[in-house]
Amino acid sequence: MSLLRAIATDRSFVCCLVCWLLPGAAGAQAPAPPAFPLQVSPPQVSPPPVTADRRGGCHYRIVIDSASIDSLAVTFRCAGEGPVAMTGFRGIPLNFSSGLRPGPGGTMLRLPGRVVFTGSRGVTRGAYRFDMKALLAAVAVPSIGQRIGGSVVTSVSSFLIRPVGADVPLSIAFTGPPGVDFATGLRRQGAIRSIRSGDVPFSGYMVMGRMTRHAVRLPGQRAVRTDGKPGAPA
């Protein structure tokens, strides 16, 4: 008890004890708190992909070069001045294309797996030549490309580059030399075929070249022709 009483009455001892427990009380410099506000870097988020105008979509003109179907000349125009990012199914359309270029007043930028176009005067244009002969030499699969007799069985997804980032309407017009025809499973409106850009990978088979048409009679009032056109009443 005498020791505790002595400690309690000894002011110098109490002061030393306080200094030992609280270094700041003796004038020691405590670590400075971090400055506020903290400079926190925002997360790196990739910008959304650019795409064609959702309302206007894109129109394509595809010219079959000859009866041998060695190449396709493809031109397209998309609503708006872009930028419009274009890609192809599994990279096939871009890998087998040459002469890819923008339209007048536009620009083109190649990126991994896609090409970005800009346009002018309210429209984005572009063109390229698809090497069907090289594709057929590299693969022999009908869903991609295969020569059967005087025709080529392929898919629109094999040669069409399409906008990415949004599901937009696409319209396609095919032309070719005399004696060369084509048949697709795409929706038909006169001479124009149509499809949504998001459906291109699932566009199914198509045939181009010399072909013979046959009518398949089915129960009912109509017949179905193998070229996809409505048949005569049964």
Side-chain angles (χ1 to χ4, degrees), residues 63-73 96-98 129-137 147 150-152 159 177 180 208-209:
V63 180
I64 305 171
D65 67 333
S66 64
S68 59
I69 318 174
D70 289 334
S71 66
L72 307 175
F96 289 91
S97 294
S98 61
R129 181 169 293 275
F130 183 80
D131 194 339
M132 182 65 75
K133 184 177 181 179
L135 175 69
L136 299 178
R147 190 179 298 279
S151 300
V152 170
F159 55 81
V180 174
M208 58 182 72

PDB file of all heavy atoms in Angstrom, residues 63-73 96-98 129-137 147 150-152 159 177 180 208-209:
ATOM      1  N   VAL A  63     -22.114  -9.753-105.756  1.00  0.00           N
ATOM      2  CA  VAL A  63     -22.028 -10.098-107.163  1.00  0.00           C
ATOM      3  C   VAL A  63     -21.183 -11.361-107.306  1.00  0.00           C
ATOM      4  O   VAL A  63     -20.011 -11.380-106.907  1.00  0.00           O
ATOM      5  CB  VAL A  63     -21.410  -8.953-107.981  1.00  0.00           C
ATOM      6  CG1 VAL A  63     -21.321  -9.345-109.460  1.00  0.00           C
ATOM      7  CG2 VAL A  63     -22.243  -7.677-107.818  1.00  0.00           C
ATOM      8  N   ILE A  64     -21.790 -12.423-107.855  1.00  0.00           N
ATOM      9  CA  ILE A  64     -21.062 -13.660-108.149  1.00  0.00           C
ATOM     10  C   ILE A  64     -20.264 -13.417-109.420  1.00  0.00           C
ATOM     11  O   ILE A  64     -20.823 -13.040-110.453  1.00  0.00           O
ATOM     12  CB  ILE A  64     -22.042 -14.829-108.326  1.00  0.00           C
ATOM     13  CG1 ILE A  64     -22.934 -14.957-107.081  1.00  0.00           C
ATOM     14  CG2 ILE A  64     -21.303 -16.121-108.593  1.00  0.00           C
ATOM     15  CD1 ILE A  64     -24.082 -15.937-107.248  1.00  0.00           C
ATOM     16  N   ASP A  65     -18.947 -13.631-109.364  1.00  0.00           N
ATOM     17  CA  ASP A  65     -18.086 -13.184-110.456  1.00  0.00           C
ATOM     18  C   ASP A  65     -18.268 -13.968-111.743  1.00  0.00           C
ATOM     19  O   ASP A  65     -18.253 -13.409-112.837  1.00  0.00           O
ATOM     20  CB  ASP A  65     -16.621 -13.232-110.019  1.00  0.00           C
ATOM     21  CG  ASP A  65     -16.132 -14.661-109.790  1.00  0.00           C
ATOM     22  OD1 ASP A  65     -16.962 -15.524-109.464  1.00  0.00           O
ATOM     23  OD2 ASP A  65     -14.919 -14.908-109.927  1.00  0.00           O
ATOM     24  N   SER A  66     -18.451 -15.288-111.656  1.00  0.00           N
ATOM     25  CA  SER A  66     -18.509 -16.106-112.860  1.00  0.00           C
ATOM     26  C   SER A  66     -19.183 -17.429-112.542  1.00  0.00           C
ATOM     27  O   SER A  66     -19.531 -17.713-111.386  1.00  0.00           O
ATOM     28  CB  SER A  66     -17.102 -16.364-113.405  1.00  0.00           C
ATOM     29  OG  SER A  66     -16.352 -17.131-112.465  1.00  0.00           O
ATOM     30  N   ALA A  67     -19.353 -18.262-113.580  1.00  0.00           N
ATOM     31  CA  ALA A  67     -19.992 -19.558-113.389  1.00  0.00           C
ATOM     32  C   ALA A  67     -19.153 -20.468-112.499  1.00  0.00           C
ATOM     33  O   ALA A  67     -19.678 -21.382-111.861  1.00  0.00           O
ATOM     34  CB  ALA A  67     -20.239 -20.223-114.743  1.00  0.00           C
ATOM     35  N   SER A  68     -17.856 -20.217-112.424  1.00  0.00           N
ATOM     36  CA  SER A  68     -16.997 -21.038-111.560  1.00  0.00           C
ATOM     37  C   SER A  68     -17.076 -20.622-110.099  1.00  0.00           C
ATOM     38  O   SER A  68     -16.572 -21.324-109.214  1.00  0.00           O
ATOM     39  CB  SER A  68     -15.543 -20.951-112.040  1.00  0.00           C
ATOM     40  OG  SER A  68     -15.088 -19.606-112.009  1.00  0.00           O
ATOM     41  N   ILE A  69     -17.673 -19.468-109.830  1.00  0.00           N
ATOM     42  CA  ILE A  69     -17.875 -18.956-108.457  1.00  0.00           C
ATOM     43  C   ILE A  69     -16.556 -18.940-107.690  1.00  0.00           C
ATOM     44  O   ILE A  69     -16.435 -19.482-106.599  1.00  0.00           O
ATOM     45  CB  ILE A  69     -18.940 -19.785-107.700  1.00  0.00           C
ATOM     46  CG1 ILE A  69     -20.107 -20.099-108.618  1.00  0.00           C
ATOM     47  CG2 ILE A  69     -19.461 -19.024-106.473  1.00  0.00           C
ATOM     48  CD1 ILE A  69     -21.127 -21.030-108.024  1.00  0.00           C
ATOM     49  N   ASP A  70     -15.567 -18.316-108.288  1.00  0.00           N
ATOM     50  CA  ASP A  70     -14.263 -18.223-107.632  1.00  0.00           C
ATOM     51  C   ASP A  70     -14.217 -17.099-106.603  1.00  0.00           C
ATOM     52  O   ASP A  70     -13.429 -17.161-105.653  1.00  0.00           O
ATOM     53  CB  ASP A  70     -13.156 -18.015-108.671  1.00  0.00           C
ATOM     54  CG  ASP A  70     -12.913 -19.258-109.506  1.00  0.00           C
ATOM     55  OD1 ASP A  70     -13.191 -20.367-109.009  1.00  0.00           O
ATOM     56  OD2 ASP A  70     -12.455 -19.117-110.659  1.00  0.00           O
ATOM     57  N   SER A  71     -15.029 -16.070-106.781  1.00  0.00           N
ATOM     58  CA  SER A  71     -15.007 -14.960-105.831  1.00  0.00           C
ATOM     59  C   SER A  71     -16.342 -14.238-105.846  1.00  0.00           C
ATOM     60  O   SER A  71     -17.142 -14.381-106.782  1.00  0.00           O
ATOM     61  CB  SER A  71     -13.875 -13.975-106.157  1.00  0.00           C
ATOM     62  OG  SER A  71     -14.121 -13.335-107.399  1.00  0.00           O
ATOM     63  N   LEU A  72     -16.552 -13.467-104.797  1.00  0.00           N
ATOM     64  CA  LEU A  72     -17.753 -12.649-104.650  1.00  0.00           C
ATOM     65  C   LEU A  72     -17.322 -11.213-104.402  1.00  0.00           C
ATOM     66  O   LEU A  72     -16.472 -10.950-103.544  1.00  0.00           O
ATOM     67  CB  LEU A  72     -18.615 -13.133-103.476  1.00  0.00           C
ATOM     68  CG  LEU A  72     -19.006 -14.614-103.434  1.00  0.00           C
ATOM     69  CD1 LEU A  72     -19.745 -14.918-102.137  1.00  0.00           C
ATOM     70  CD2 LEU A  72     -19.842 -14.988-104.638  1.00  0.00           C
ATOM     71  N   ALA A  73     -17.915 -10.282-105.147  1.00  0.00           N
ATOM     72  CA  ALA A  73     -17.674  -8.864-104.902  1.00  0.00           C
ATOM     73  C   ALA A  73     -18.780  -8.346-103.996  1.00  0.00           C
ATOM     74  O   ALA A  73     -19.960  -8.404-104.360  1.00  0.00           O
ATOM     75  CB  ALA A  73     -17.647  -8.095-106.214  1.00  0.00           C
ATOM     76  N   PHE A  96     -10.592 -14.614 -95.492  1.00  0.00           N
ATOM     77  CA  PHE A  96     -10.593 -14.957 -96.915  1.00  0.00           C
ATOM     78  C   PHE A  96     -11.023 -13.782 -97.791  1.00  0.00           C
ATOM     79  O   PHE A  96     -11.468 -13.982 -98.923  1.00  0.00           O
ATOM     80  CB  PHE A  96     -11.504 -16.166 -97.162  1.00  0.00           C
ATOM     81  CG  PHE A  96     -10.951 -17.457 -96.636  1.00  0.00           C
ATOM     82  CD1 PHE A  96     -11.243 -17.879 -95.350  1.00  0.00           C
ATOM     83  CD2 PHE A  96     -10.109 -18.245 -97.410  1.00  0.00           C
ATOM     84  CE1 PHE A  96     -10.729 -19.063 -94.839  1.00  0.00           C
ATOM     85  CE2 PHE A  96      -9.586 -19.435 -96.924  1.00  0.00           C
ATOM     86  CZ  PHE A  96      -9.896 -19.850 -95.635  1.00  0.00           C
ATOM     87  N   SER A  97     -10.882 -12.576 -97.276  1.00  0.00           N
ATOM     88  CA  SER A  97     -11.254 -11.381 -98.034  1.00  0.00           C
ATOM     89  C   SER A  97     -10.019 -10.571 -98.393  1.00  0.00           C
ATOM     90  O   SER A  97      -9.008 -10.607 -97.702  1.00  0.00           O
ATOM     91  CB  SER A  97     -12.222 -10.507 -97.228  1.00  0.00           C
ATOM     92  OG  SER A  97     -13.454 -11.172 -97.048  1.00  0.00           O
ATOM     93  N   SER A  98     -10.133  -9.845 -99.477  1.00  0.00           N
ATOM     94  CA  SER A  98      -9.061  -8.945 -99.907  1.00  0.00           C
ATOM     95  C   SER A  98      -9.692  -7.641-100.379  1.00  0.00           C
ATOM     96  O   SER A  98     -10.897  -7.575-100.665  1.00  0.00           O
ATOM     97  CB  SER A  98      -8.239  -9.578-101.030  1.00  0.00           C
ATOM     98  OG  SER A  98      -9.044  -9.833-102.165  1.00  0.00           O
ATOM     99  N   ARG A 129     -13.587  -8.130-101.585  1.00  0.00           N
ATOM    100  CA  ARG A 129     -13.749  -9.288-102.466  1.00  0.00           C
ATOM    101  C   ARG A 129     -13.492 -10.547-101.652  1.00  0.00           C
ATOM    102  O   ARG A 129     -12.442 -10.679-101.011  1.00  0.00           O
ATOM    103  CB  ARG A 129     -12.791  -9.216-103.654  1.00  0.00           C
ATOM    104  CG  ARG A 129     -12.932 -10.404-104.622  1.00  0.00           C
ATOM    105  CD  ARG A 129     -12.170 -10.148-105.906  1.00  0.00           C
ATOM    106  NE  ARG A 129     -12.767  -9.065-106.671  1.00  0.00           N
ATOM    107  CZ  ARG A 129     -13.786  -9.214-107.517  1.00  0.00           C
ATOM    108  NH1 ARG A 129     -14.338 -10.420-107.681  1.00  0.00           N
ATOM    109  NH2 ARG A 129     -14.271  -8.188-108.166  1.00  0.00           N
ATOM    110  N   PHE A 130     -14.468 -11.446-101.663  1.00  0.00           N
ATOM    111  CA  PHE A 130     -14.334 -12.694-100.917  1.00  0.00           C
ATOM    112  C   PHE A 130     -13.804 -13.776-101.847  1.00  0.00           C
ATOM    113  O   PHE A 130     -14.363 -14.021-102.921  1.00  0.00           O
ATOM    114  CB  PHE A 130     -15.680 -13.121-100.326  1.00  0.00           C
ATOM    115  CG  PHE A 130     -15.591 -14.363 -99.496  1.00  0.00           C
ATOM    116  CD1 PHE A 130     -15.129 -14.307 -98.194  1.00  0.00           C
ATOM    117  CD2 PHE A 130     -15.942 -15.597-100.032  1.00  0.00           C
ATOM    118  CE1 PHE A 130     -15.023 -15.462 -97.431  1.00  0.00           C
ATOM    119  CE2 PHE A 130     -15.850 -16.747 -99.277  1.00  0.00           C
ATOM    120  CZ  PHE A 130     -15.384 -16.683 -97.966  1.00  0.00           C
ATOM    121  N   ASP A 131     -12.740 -14.451-101.417  1.00  0.00           N
ATOM    122  CA  ASP A 131     -12.068 -15.475-102.220  1.00  0.00           C
ATOM    123  C   ASP A 131     -12.722 -16.833-101.953  1.00  0.00           C
ATOM    124  O   ASP A 131     -12.280 -17.600-101.103  1.00  0.00           O
ATOM    125  CB  ASP A 131     -10.583 -15.512-101.887  1.00  0.00           C
ATOM    126  CG  ASP A 131      -9.770 -16.304-102.899  1.00  0.00           C
ATOM    127  OD1 ASP A 131     -10.370 -17.137-103.621  1.00  0.00           O
ATOM    128  OD2 ASP A 131      -8.543 -16.105-102.973  1.00  0.00           O
ATOM    129  N   MET A 132     -13.781 -17.123-102.682  1.00  0.00           N
ATOM    130  CA  MET A 132     -14.481 -18.389-102.502  1.00  0.00           C
ATOM    131  C   MET A 132     -13.602 -19.569-102.907  1.00  0.00           C
ATOM    132  O   MET A 132     -13.647 -20.645-102.277  1.00  0.00           O
ATOM    133  CB  MET A 132     -15.769 -18.386-103.311  1.00  0.00           C
ATOM    134  CG  MET A 132     -16.617 -19.646-103.164  1.00  0.00           C
ATOM    135  SD  MET A 132     -17.269 -19.859-101.475  1.00  0.00           S
ATOM    136  CE  MET A 132     -18.564 -18.606-101.483  1.00  0.00           C
ATOM    137  N   LYS A 133     -12.795 -19.401-103.936  1.00  0.00           N
ATOM    138  CA  LYS A 133     -11.920 -20.480-104.392  1.00  0.00           C
ATOM    139  C   LYS A 133     -10.951 -20.895-103.290  1.00  0.00           C
ATOM    140  O   LYS A 133     -10.723 -22.087-103.063  1.00  0.00           O
ATOM    141  CB  LYS A 133     -11.157 -20.044-105.642  1.00  0.00           C
ATOM    142  CG  LYS A 133     -10.289 -21.135-106.255  1.00  0.00           C
ATOM    143  CD  LYS A 133      -9.620 -20.649-107.532  1.00  0.00           C
ATOM    144  CE  LYS A 133      -8.765 -21.748-108.157  1.00  0.00           C
ATOM    145  NZ  LYS A 133      -8.130 -21.280-109.432  1.00  0.00           N
ATOM    146  N   ALA A 134     -10.374 -19.916-102.587  1.00  0.00           N
ATOM    147  CA  ALA A 134      -9.449 -20.226-101.493  1.00  0.00           C
ATOM    148  C   ALA A 134     -10.170 -20.897-100.336  1.00  0.00           C
ATOM    149  O   ALA A 134      -9.626 -21.814 -99.713  1.00  0.00           O
ATOM    150  CB  ALA A 134      -8.763 -18.949-101.021  1.00  0.00           C
ATOM    151  N   LEU A 135     -11.387 -20.454-100.057  1.00  0.00           N
ATOM    152  CA  LEU A 135     -12.149 -21.085 -98.977  1.00  0.00           C
ATOM    153  C   LEU A 135     -12.430 -22.544 -99.305  1.00  0.00           C
ATOM    154  O   LEU A 135     -12.263 -23.427 -98.452  1.00  0.00           O
ATOM    155  CB  LEU A 135     -13.465 -20.341 -98.754  1.00  0.00           C
ATOM    156  CG  LEU A 135     -14.420 -20.972 -97.736  1.00  0.00           C
ATOM    157  CD1 LEU A 135     -13.848 -20.869 -96.328  1.00  0.00           C
ATOM    158  CD2 LEU A 135     -15.799 -20.318 -97.802  1.00  0.00           C
ATOM    159  N   LEU A 136     -12.849 -22.828-100.531  1.00  0.00           N
ATOM    160  CA  LEU A 136     -13.177 -24.197-100.915  1.00  0.00           C
ATOM    161  C   LEU A 136     -11.933 -25.085-100.918  1.00  0.00           C
ATOM    162  O   LEU A 136     -12.036 -26.291-100.678  1.00  0.00           O
ATOM    163  CB  LEU A 136     -13.837 -24.207-102.294  1.00  0.00           C
ATOM    164  CG  LEU A 136     -15.152 -23.428-102.403  1.00  0.00           C
ATOM    165  CD1 LEU A 136     -15.672 -23.477-103.830  1.00  0.00           C
ATOM    166  CD2 LEU A 136     -16.187 -23.954-101.431  1.00  0.00           C
ATOM    167  N   ALA A 137     -10.780 -24.491-101.180  1.00  0.00           N
ATOM    168  CA  ALA A 137      -9.540 -25.266-101.143  1.00  0.00           C
ATOM    169  C   ALA A 137      -9.115 -25.574 -99.714  1.00  0.00           C
ATOM    170  O   ALA A 137      -8.424 -26.571 -99.464  1.00  0.00           O
ATOM    171  CB  ALA A 137      -8.422 -24.511-101.865  1.00  0.00           C
ATOM    172  N   ARG A 147     -17.755 -27.457-102.966  1.00  0.00           N
ATOM    173  CA  ARG A 147     -18.186 -27.491-104.355  1.00  0.00           C
ATOM    174  C   ARG A 147     -18.800 -28.847-104.660  1.00  0.00           C
ATOM    175  O   ARG A 147     -18.195 -29.891-104.401  1.00  0.00           O
ATOM    176  CB  ARG A 147     -17.017 -27.225-105.299  1.00  0.00           C
ATOM    177  CG  ARG A 147     -17.435 -27.005-106.748  1.00  0.00           C
ATOM    178  CD  ARG A 147     -16.237 -26.717-107.628  1.00  0.00           C
ATOM    179  NE  ARG A 147     -15.547 -25.500-107.243  1.00  0.00           N
ATOM    180  CZ  ARG A 147     -15.922 -24.273-107.593  1.00  0.00           C
ATOM    181  NH1 ARG A 147     -17.035 -24.112-108.318  1.00  0.00           N
ATOM    182  NH2 ARG A 147     -15.224 -23.215-107.224  1.00  0.00           N
ATOM    183  N   GLY A 150     -21.505 -28.353-110.443  1.00  0.00           N
ATOM    184  CA  GLY A 150     -21.298 -26.986-110.909  1.00  0.00           C
ATOM    185  C   GLY A 150     -21.777 -25.929-109.940  1.00  0.00           C
ATOM    186  O   GLY A 150     -21.875 -24.761-110.315  1.00  0.00           O
ATOM    187  N   SER A 151     -22.050 -26.327-108.706  1.00  0.00           N
ATOM    188  CA  SER A 151     -22.561 -25.380-107.715  1.00  0.00           C
ATOM    189  C   SER A 151     -21.691 -25.385-106.460  1.00  0.00           C
ATOM    190  O   SER A 151     -20.864 -26.274-106.260  1.00  0.00           O
ATOM    191  CB  SER A 151     -24.007 -25.718-107.336  1.00  0.00           C
ATOM    192  OG  SER A 151     -24.851 -25.675-108.461  1.00  0.00           O
ATOM    193  N   VAL A 152     -21.902 -24.389-105.637  1.00  0.00           N
ATOM    194  CA  VAL A 152     -21.214 -24.272-104.352  1.00  0.00           C
ATOM    195  C   VAL A 152     -22.262 -24.240-103.249  1.00  0.00           C
ATOM    196  O   VAL A 152     -23.197 -23.427-103.296  1.00  0.00           O
ATOM    197  CB  VAL A 152     -20.339 -23.006-104.290  1.00  0.00           C
ATOM    198  CG1 VAL A 152     -19.839 -22.771-102.865  1.00  0.00           C
ATOM    199  CG2 VAL A 152     -19.173 -23.119-105.247  1.00  0.00           C
ATOM    200  N   PHE A 159     -19.225 -15.689 -95.826  1.00  0.00           N
ATOM    201  CA  PHE A 159     -18.645 -14.604 -96.621  1.00  0.00           C
ATOM    202  C   PHE A 159     -19.136 -13.219 -96.237  1.00  0.00           C
ATOM    203  O   PHE A 159     -18.679 -12.225 -96.790  1.00  0.00           O
ATOM    204  CB  PHE A 159     -18.911 -14.836 -98.113  1.00  0.00           C
ATOM    205  CG  PHE A 159     -20.364 -15.013 -98.475  1.00  0.00           C
ATOM    206  CD1 PHE A 159     -21.194 -13.919 -98.632  1.00  0.00           C
ATOM    207  CD2 PHE A 159     -20.894 -16.281 -98.661  1.00  0.00           C
ATOM    208  CE1 PHE A 159     -22.534 -14.080 -98.967  1.00  0.00           C
ATOM    209  CE2 PHE A 159     -22.231 -16.460 -99.011  1.00  0.00           C
ATOM    210  CZ  PHE A 159     -23.045 -15.355 -99.169  1.00  0.00           C
ATOM    211  N   PRO A 177     -23.778 -13.772-113.259  1.00  0.00           N
ATOM    212  CA  PRO A 177     -23.837 -13.846-114.722  1.00  0.00           C
ATOM    213  C   PRO A 177     -24.968 -14.754-115.181  1.00  0.00           C
ATOM    214  O   PRO A 177     -25.534 -15.511-114.379  1.00  0.00           O
ATOM    215  CB  PRO A 177     -22.462 -14.421-115.081  1.00  0.00           C
ATOM    216  CG  PRO A 177     -22.059 -15.207-113.876  1.00  0.00           C
ATOM    217  CD  PRO A 177     -22.606 -14.463-112.709  1.00  0.00           C
ATOM    218  N   VAL A 180     -26.182 -18.486-113.838  1.00  0.00           N
ATOM    219  CA  VAL A 180     -25.785 -18.695-112.441  1.00  0.00           C
ATOM    220  C   VAL A 180     -26.915 -18.215-111.545  1.00  0.00           C
ATOM    221  O   VAL A 180     -27.369 -17.068-111.650  1.00  0.00           O
ATOM    222  CB  VAL A 180     -24.482 -17.952-112.104  1.00  0.00           C
ATOM    223  CG1 VAL A 180     -24.167 -18.071-110.618  1.00  0.00           C
ATOM    224  CG2 VAL A 180     -23.333 -18.504-112.924  1.00  0.00           C
ATOM    225  N   MET A 208     -25.225 -21.599-104.687  1.00  0.00           N
ATOM    226  CA  MET A 208     -25.056 -20.675-105.800  1.00  0.00           C
ATOM    227  C   MET A 208     -24.346 -21.410-106.934  1.00  0.00           C
ATOM    228  O   MET A 208     -23.503 -22.278-106.705  1.00  0.00           O
ATOM    229  CB  MET A 208     -24.273 -19.424-105.368  1.00  0.00           C
ATOM    230  CG  MET A 208     -22.895 -19.672-104.792  1.00  0.00           C
ATOM    231  SD  MET A 208     -22.081 -18.138-104.267  1.00  0.00           S
ATOM    232  CE  MET A 208     -23.023 -17.727-102.807  1.00  0.00           C
ATOM    233  N   GLY A 209     -24.747 -21.079-108.143  1.00  0.00           N
ATOM    234  CA  GLY A 209     -24.167 -21.743-109.306  1.00  0.00           C
ATOM    235  C   GLY A 209     -25.240 -22.222-110.252  1.00  0.00           C
ATOM    236  O   GLY A 209     -26.349 -21.682-110.313  1.00  0.00           O
TER     237      GLY A 209
END
